[in-house]
Amino acid sequence: MYRIKSKNDYEQSYTNALEAPEKFWADIAENFHWHKKWDQVKSGNFTDLDFKWFTNAKLNITENCLDRHLEKRGDKRALTFEANDPNTPTTHYTYKELHQAVCKTANMLKDLGVKKGDRVCLYMGMVPELLFSVLACARIGAIHSVVFGGFSAQSLADRINDCECNLLITNDGSYRGAKSIDLKGIADEALETCPTIKNVLVHKRIESNITMKEGRDVWWHDLYDKASSDCPAEVMDSEDPLFILYTSGSTGKPKGLMHTTAGYMVWAAYTFQNVFQTDEQDIYWCTADIGWITGHSYITYGPLLNGATTLMFEGVPTWPDAGRFWQIVDKLKITHFYTAPTAIRALMACDEKLVEAASLSTLKVLGTVGEPINEEAWHWYDQKVGKKNCPIVDTWWQTETGGIMISTLAGIGECIPTYATKPLPGVKPELVDEKGSVIEGNDVSGNLCIAGSWPGQARTVYGDHERFKQVYFSTYPGKYFTGDGCYRDKNGNYRITGRVDDVINVSGHRIGTAEVEDAIDTLESVVETAVVGYPHDIKGQGIYAYVICHSTPSNLEEFSKQVKDQVTKVIGPIAKPDKIQVVTGLPKTRSGKIMRRILRKVAEGRPDQLGDTSTLLDPSVVDDIVKNAQ
Ligand code: PRX
């Protein structure tokens, strides 16, 4: 197998992956099922952007997630589903049952005319049918594009249109705590502008009153019950696309990052096993939504590729009360718990009795992902949840990287509060200064780049390879630029300090400032907007919008509500600004560029640290902004 067992083992693996990557990754890939093995393990480079892994190999990832385990683990639980309502009985699916469910779903998709290479959009709540649908697409070679159920109709439409999906799978609605979300209603609105969608497959979850459009919409249960559970896997090329997942950047609309089959599979499997170190009887829970990369790699593919038991939770951490996570840990005897710092901070702010009421004695490993974890939250997690007895893996990675890149390996590496610590084998981090020179040595900070390809890396931005090049490989030619700032301590441990570009990380969700600005600018009363992030106790970062209006709004409260509603309508509630300030001007340089540094300092409440403002076209706008800061 490919499990790292000790610190020495890690060091040896790291060296081997660096010095002889072909042999290193071939040995790991031998553990999987291939219809045909590769001609070459690795080819291409970061200049021509033609990198490939396991070239000409043939496989299907679902055979590796499911079929491969049937003999040894057929009756083992693969998936456990915990519903929103704590009174709903927990559901379990063995590997045999999950295999059947995926094959039935795959046959439904085939009946609807979905073929290899087609794009299928999944806009669903956290129900098992979402996971079945993801794997069903992979089973027949269709490319899944999961859109988080909190996005608006417009965001959904943009994503469907960008990759021209022909099928949308959704629910009638979804439950989230005390609320329900009208997924089908939102989907209907989106589809008014999506000409490529031929069918909508609707899974009934909340029994709401929805309209089914004749000739387009079909009920899941009508087809599922009749579908055969025999569905041979489509044989895919190693570099055939597996999925597209949209994520925000500094500029423009969200990009559809495209991941391919073999490299992603090997990376998701290898990183899951080594970071979390699960044993056969363990029960692993990642609290993310499958709408994000964490849910792709560490609820779905990573655990199943390793024959683990993975838990899917439909609800929210604070409903019916803020002890829900801890109650689930006890009830389902969770051993590995992986969540976001924002959830930890939110629960930390609630009544301590809720966490103290749980035993949490089954926990062995804790993990965090999505944003920097502050020291206070780290210690609370360690003491109150881990009882100082569980390693915490702080896993740094991105939608683009496919899987974890820098992290402690549970029980093997050192756990240092706020540090992701060491790179996984195959990952060569480099810190680079503003001029592009690599910063050598330790106790240094810089922009985080990765030198050289790793198997799980996204291969392109769907339909726009030039943008892929521009965004990730042009700032520092020959290197992949992550967009993050980073510190390397005297022992070579890495600490991610946050984004260095115009991306805000709100509750672990990536939001581009340009997207929010564009959404606010669509209001007729608005002339121009500038959006920045600022430190927020629970969310990590909050969104602060400076807005210039044609005429000063008579009712500021009402105007703020309009702005928030507009952002919710255009993007979704996750991008709603926390603070809105109406201004008469923005600090611009003579060339018309907004000096965001100044806006960030004001938003942070540090107007004493504005620095040099002499290059501004009109320095007096700054006084006005400072005076009226929120
Ligand atoms: O800024 C980093 C932050 O989240 C960004 C990636 O966001 P996304 O593609 O949505 O993927 C999130 C889940 C992998 C990164 O550029 N980030 C992610 N993990 C960490 C982190 N920042 C600090 N520490 C982490 N462990």
Side-chain angles (χ1 to χ4, degrees):
M1 286 299 281
Y2 41 78
R3 181 156 170 177
I4 293 171
K5 298 212 168 66
S6 63
K7 198 158 181 284
N8 276 347
D9 205 0
Y10 161 73
E11 277 159 13
Q12 192 58 56
S13 298
Y14 193 81
T15 310
N16 292 347
L18 207 63
E19 289 175 356
E22 304 253 345
K23 163 137 185 28
F24 182 80
W25 291 110
D27 286 350
I28 292 166
E30 288 290 346
N31 289 284
F32 297 90
H33 170 70
W34 304 88
H35 287 263
K36 175 185 171 289
K37 291 207 180 138
W38 47 93
D39 294 339
Q40 209 182 345
V41 172
K42 177 180 185 213
S43 69
N45 58 57
F46 279 0
T47 309
D48 301 315
L49 293 189
D50 57 348
F51 42 85
K52 291 189 173 70
W53 285 83
F54 309 106
T55 41
N56 295 327
K58 306 289 174 204
L59 74 158
N60 185 291
I61 193 168
T62 70
E63 288 183 314
N64 284 288
C65 288
L66 301 169
D67 308 52
R68 190 165 55 107
H69 302 307
L70 292 182
E71 201 180 316
K72 190 170 153 209
R73 302 188 178 97
D75 296 320
K76 177 178 171 173
R77 284 176 182 170
L79 173 68
T80 293
F81 172 64
E82 180 68 15
N84 182 59
D85 182 346
N87 298 316
T88 306
T90 308
T91 332
H92 303 280
Y93 300 84
T94 63
Y95 270 90
K96 263 189 212 150
E97 288 163 341
L98 183 59
H99 178 262
Q100 283 195 357
V102 170
C103 288
K104 277 167 91 75
T105 310
N107 280 325
M108 279 200 301
L109 302 193
K110 279 193 189 167
D111 286 347
L112 289 169
V114 178
K115 296 181 306 301
K116 178 176 178 177
D118 285 352
R119 275 80 58 213
V120 176
C121 180
L122 278 48
Y123 183 65
M124 301 176 78
M126 279 288 283
V127 287
E129 288 73 12
L130 168 56
L131 190 138
F132 303 165
S133 300
V134 164
L135 294 176
C137 288
R139 186 84 178 169
I140 63 170
I143 305 167
H144 56 80
S145 167
V146 188
V147 177
F148 173 59
F151 277 119
S152 68
Q154 194 169 322
S155 295
L156 174 61
D158 286 348
R159 286 159 173 77
I160 289 175
N161 289 333
D162 183 72
C163 65
E164 301 179 313
C165 298
N166 52 17
L167 175 72
L168 171 70
I169 312 181
T170 190
N171 297 112
D172 55 347
S174 68
Y175 293 120
R176 272 188 78 73
K179 287 192 281 191
S180 62
I181 300 172
D182 177 22
L183 290 177
K184 178 65 165 59
I186 301 170
D188 283 338
E189 193 187 330
L191 294 187
E192 284 170 21
T193 56
C194 299
T196 56
I197 292 285
K198 294 199 185 74
N199 289 111
V200 182
L201 182 57
V202 188
H203 174 258
K204 189 178 274 188
R205 174 61 188 143
I206 68 168
E207 306 280 340
S208 71
N209 228 344
I210 56 162
T211 346
M212 294 290 279
K213 188 171 168 185
E214 183 88 41
R216 186 194 70 182
D217 300 353
V218 276
W219 282 111
W220 175 289
H221 52 259
D222 284 345
L223 299 186
Y224 188 82
D225 295 344
K226 287 185 274 181
S228 152
S229 58
D230 178 25
C231 180
E234 187 77 34
V235 177
M236 306 296 287
D237 185 79
S238 53
E239 287 294 336
D240 275 338
L242 175 64
F243 66 86
I244 299 167
L245 191 57
Y246 287 83
T247 188
S248 297
S250 298
T251 55
K253 293 227 182 244
K255 307 172 284 282
L257 270 310
M258 194 184 89
H259 285 276
T260 57
T261 307
Y264 174 81
M265 173 181 83
V266 169
W267 192 246
Y270 181 75
T271 52
F272 174 82
Q273 177 67 93
N274 286 308
V275 171
F276 295 105
Q277 300 276 328
T278 52
D279 291 321
E280 196 62 44
Q281 299 311 317
D282 287 340
I283 300 171
Y284 163 91
W285 179 18
C286 164
T287 69
D289 190 292
I290 293 184
W292 309 112
I293 189 71
T294 308
H296 283 56
S297 303
Y298 299 113
I299 293 178
T300 311
Y301 290 111
L304 296 177
L305 285 163
N306 286 289
T309 302
T310 184
L311 171 70
M312 214 176 151
F313 173 47
E314 183 181 31
V316 295
T318 48
W319 190 83
D321 62 43
R324 186 73 197 275
F325 272 3
W326 322 129
Q327 292 145 17
I328 295 175
V329 168
D330 278 1
K331 177 177 160 193
L332 299 176
K333 302 189 168 46
I334 300 297
T335 54
H336 291 65
F337 180 71
Y338 188 31
T339 197
T342 196
I344 300 168
R345 287 190 298 262
L347 296 176
M348 208 171 117
C350 299
D351 189 348
E352 294 241 306
K353 288 199 192 88
L354 290 164
V355 64
E356 283 163 0
S359 115
L360 306 179
S361 59
T362 51
L363 286 174
K364 294 186 196 167
V365 174
L366 302 177
T368 81
V369 59
E371 45 177 327
I373 181 163
N374 50 308
E375 208 135 351
E376 202 192 344
W378 195 98
H379 287 296
W380 187 87
Y381 199 29
D382 181 37
Q383 286 161 20
K384 297 284 172 184
V385 183
K387 317 281 187 202
K388 294 198 124 200
N389 214 5
C390 300
I392 297 180
V393 292
D394 178 349
T395 63
W396 174 83
W397 59 296
Q398 308 178 299
T399 306
E400 293 83 347
T401 69
I404 298 167
M405 301 288 279
I406 306 182
S407 173
T408 301
L409 310 185
I412 292 171
E414 198 185 351
C415 297
I416 313 170
T418 78
Y419 279 75
T421 71
K422 293 279 181 359
L424 270 283
V427 176
K428 192 166 176 244
E430 282 185 341
L431 301 186
V432 181
D433 67 18
E434 297 297 332
K435 292 194 200 86
S437 309
V438 175
I439 307 166
E440 304 287 354
N442 287 339
D443 190 18
V444 288
S445 296
N447 289 343
L448 179 62
C449 291
I450 311 290
S453 184
W454 63 98
Q457 167 167 43
R459 301 294 192 262
T460 192
V461 167
Y462 186 81
D464 198 348
H465 202 52
E466 188 51 36
R467 189 165 176 206
F468 185 60
K469 183 175 180 176
Q470 273 305 318
V471 174
Y472 303 107
F473 300 92
S474 65
T475 319
Y476 304 115
K479 299 183 202 309
Y480 166 78
F481 176 41
T482 64
D484 281 320
C486 184
Y487 167 68
R488 183 168 54 222
D489 78 359
K490 57 183 187 334
N491 300 315
N493 291 301
Y494 290 86
R495 177 177 195 264
I496 311 300
T497 49
R499 301 288 306 193
V500 292
D501 54 7
D502 290 326
V503 170
I504 311 179
N505 194 328
V506 183
S507 302
H509 304 319
R510 254 162 92 165
I511 295 169
T513 52
E515 270 179 276
V516 184
E517 288 164 4
D518 289 348
I520 300 175
D521 289 348
T522 55
L523 281 172
E524 255 174 45
S525 52
V526 170
V527 179
E528 193 180 1
T529 309
V531 163
V532 296
Y534 71 96
H536 187 289
D537 282 351
I538 306 280
K539 298 179 181 181
Q541 279 192 295
I543 301 180
Y544 195 121
Y546 298 88
V547 187
I548 306 180
C549 295
H550 287 289
S551 55
T552 312
S554 51
N555 184 334
L556 278 178
E557 217 170 289
E558 202 173 288
F559 175 72
S560 293
K561 184 171 177 310
Q562 263 178 26
V563 169
K564 289 183 186 183
D565 288 349
Q566 186 68 1
V567 175
T568 304
K569 183 165 165 255
V570 178
I571 306 176
I574 53 171
K576 238 179 354 192
D578 301 271
K579 293 186 179 180
I580 296 154
Q581 182 180 349
V582 175
V583 295
T584 50
L586 290 168
K588 289 192 178 170
T589 60
R590 287 189 184 88
S591 58
K593 209 168 165 276
I594 298 173
M595 251 198 211
R596 286 171 192 278
R597 170 175 64 79
I598 293 178
L599 298 176
R600 279 192 209 108
K601 284 293 171 199
V602 176
E604 268 171 41
R606 302 310 308 252
D608 51 314
Q609 295 180 354
L610 296 186
D612 182 15
T613 57
S614 63
T615 55
L616 288 176
L617 187 63
D618 176 8
S620 74
V621 296
V622 177
D623 301 336
D624 179 52
I625 289 175
V626 171
K627 205 163 67 207
N628 298 306
Q630 298 279 298

